[in-house]
Amino acid sequence: MYKNRLKELMLERNISNHKLAKETTISRQAISKIKNNEFHDISVNVLTELLEYFDVSFNEFGTIYTREECLRALLPDKGFNHKNLDLLESLFSENLRISCKYHPYSSEQCLNIWSKGYFKKFSFSGNMRINTSLYGLTFEITDFDLYKKSENFHFDDFYNFYKKFIIQLEHYALTLGFTQIVINVNSYTDKDLDTRLEPRKVNSKDLNFLTNNYKYSNRENELIKTSIIKKRGYIEHSDNDSYQKIKSEKERINNYVDCLNHLTFFEKEQKRISMFSEGNIYSDHDTKKFIKPLNSEFIPKEKLEKDVKRRWGW
């Protein structure tokens, strides 16, 4: 990762965004992005022009950081320290009326979180970590499971709690200045169909049916999670080239199946399995990463969907 000093150089020489844009071919929008995000990805042409304009060398304009060095440089403000955990607890307390237990580890880069014992209707646990990309720090939810403890609950309350929990994590990441949030979703074994499946977005009627009529398991957890994050604008990412090529076809089949309202949930799943088989589409059971930019000015959607291997170093 390359950390630029554009903001510092502009302050030293009293150069405004307007002046720099006027005296170069770089747009004010591009200047603002680089200036406000010191780890922003800079094209060779733009970098060359900036070096010439400020009459500095590559090493004088910025510093190359390894992933570990980047984390050490940025973690003091964004790690899971007491101050930031107080912020997270306040978000949960004020908006969800819950309290959690926290266990930071790996030099405050990772966090284990779980609900306190008096939480009556649901229990949950999860793991989060701070990662890096060419755009800066990523807030990643590596694992999160919400379970019902009581049969005496309404599905809408359960679903809305899950959604609000994710929203609070987004607020936390945005407040601390992370450029993106990532949520991992896992494949699950459907014991009723005796097969392993990738989760898909499922309509609320089918989710309601599953949670009210079957023992809550990884299937329901991953389906609810996937349904919520897709509605909230998360983009599925994979560094597997073969999977990228068939992702759109899988999405088409999943959306088609979900609209077959005359079928039960399990009939839809059997239809999905059949269509995958007919199209020679095989499931990828690796963990899926769903990405949401927290500042669309820094990370345009188009950039998330191209140059996958070059841009994402998980």
Side-chain angles (χ1 to χ4, degrees):
M1 298 183 68
Y2 185 65
K3 180 181 179 182
N4 74 76
R5 294 179 54 240
L6 179 60
K7 186 174 184 178
E8 183 181 339
L9 289 170
M10 291 176 68
L11 285 173
E12 287 177 358
R13 306 186 188 190
N14 195 27
I15 297 173
S16 66
N17 289 17
H18 176 75
K19 176 178 172 63
L20 181 57
K22 187 176 180 180
E23 297 179 354
T24 65
T25 63
I26 307 170
S27 69
R28 280 189 292 179
Q29 183 183 25
I31 292 169
S32 178
K33 290 178 182 179
I34 300 168
K35 179 181 174 182
N36 294 324
N37 181 4
E38 55 194 6
F39 285 101
H40 187 76
D41 192 19
I42 309 175
S43 70
V44 174
N45 290 340
V46 170
L47 179 58
T48 300
E49 189 165 5
L50 288 171
L51 296 181
E52 292 176 352
Y53 181 86
F54 288 99
D55 191 24
V56 294
S57 68
F58 178 81
N59 290 333
E60 290 171 329
F61 185 77
T63 307
I64 295 177
Y65 277 69
T66 65
R67 177 182 178 278
E68 291 72 22
E69 289 171 335
C70 176
L71 284 172
R72 283 198 296 270
L74 297 177
L75 271 177
D77 294 328
K78 296 180 174 63
F80 296 112
N81 53 42
H82 289 297
K83 179 182 177 181
N84 292 339
L85 290 180
D86 285 344
L87 169 63
L88 189 58
E89 179 70 11
S90 68
L91 287 171
F92 290 156
S93 176
E94 293 171 11
N95 297 286
L96 296 174
R97 301 186 183 280
I98 62 170
S99 185
C100 304
K101 293 183 179 180
Y102 307 94
H103 174 61
Y105 59 99
S106 295
S107 302
E108 299 181 345
Q109 180 189 346
C110 301
L111 178 70
N112 178 236
I113 179 174
W114 65 97
S115 56
K116 288 188 175 179
Y118 62 78
F119 202 48
K120 295 180 180 179
K121 290 188 177 181
F122 317 121
S123 65
F124 59 86
S125 64
N127 287 281
M128 306 164 194
R129 70 180 177 188
I130 298 170
N131 215 330
T132 60
S133 76
L134 289 176
Y135 296 103
L137 286 187
T138 294
F139 182 69
E140 184 172 359
I141 303 167
T142 55
D143 181 40
F144 180 73
D145 300 302
L146 180 64
Y147 299 102
K148 64 178 185 180
K149 296 172 66 176
S150 168
E151 298 300 323
N152 183 27
F153 78 102
H154 295 290
F155 168 75
D156 287 344
D157 294 336
F158 188 67
Y159 182 90
N160 288 331
F161 177 88
Y162 212 142
K163 181 173 69 174
K164 289 178 181 178
F165 195 92
I166 290 175
I167 290 173
Q168 299 317 309
L169 293 177
E170 291 175 4
H171 286 336
Y172 172 82
L174 185 60
T175 300
L176 290 184
F178 288 92
T179 53
Q180 59 205 10
I181 184 169
V182 174
I183 298 180
N184 291 348
V185 177
N186 298 308
S187 297
Y188 59 89
T189 298
D190 191 316
K191 294 182 179 179
D192 294 285
L193 295 174
D194 193 27
T195 188
R196 191 162 181 81
L197 293 170
E198 297 177 38
R200 62 179 175 89
K201 185 173 73 173
V202 178
N203 63 60
S204 57
K205 179 183 176 182
D206 286 338
L207 290 175
N208 197 333
F209 165 77
L210 285 172
T211 53
N212 286 327
N213 293 280
Y214 290 85
K215 183 178 179 181
Y216 193 85
S217 66
N218 286 340
R219 175 181 64 194
E220 287 74 24
N221 191 74
E222 300 306 314
L223 288 175
I224 290 176
K225 188 190 304 180
T226 302
S227 300
I228 291 172
I229 62 179
K230 283 198 170 186
K231 284 185 178 180
R232 291 198 56 75
Y234 285 75
I235 303 165
E236 184 180 353
H237 160 76
S238 174
D239 56 9
N240 184 319
D241 287 338
S242 60
Y243 180 77
Q244 287 291 119
K245 293 175 182 177
I246 62 173
K247 186 174 72 173
S248 59
E249 181 62 14
K250 284 186 175 183
E251 195 72 15
R252 185 190 68 79
I253 292 174
N254 288 339
N255 290 336
Y256 168 75
V257 166
D258 197 45
C259 292
L260 300 177
N261 296 324
H262 62 287
L263 300 180
T264 66
F265 170 79
F266 293 111
E267 288 173 338
K268 290 178 182 178
E269 291 297 82
Q270 289 171 335
K271 180 70 172 177
R272 176 163 71 129
I273 294 169
S274 174
M275 292 181 71
F276 279 4
S277 177
E278 290 172 3
N280 291 320
I281 299 173
Y282 299 98
S283 293
D284 176 5
H285 298 311
D286 293 337
T287 297
K288 303 293 185 300
K289 294 182 181 292
F290 287 84
I291 303 167
K292 182 176 183 179
L294 295 175
N295 190 325
S296 57
E297 184 178 81
F298 287 166
I299 314 174
K301 179 179 177 181
E302 312 84 69
K303 282 201 169 187
L304 287 174
E305 296 175 331
K306 70 178 184 179
D307 296 337
V308 173
K309 280 192 173 181
R310 184 176 71 84
R311 295 185 181 277
W312 306 104
W314 303 108

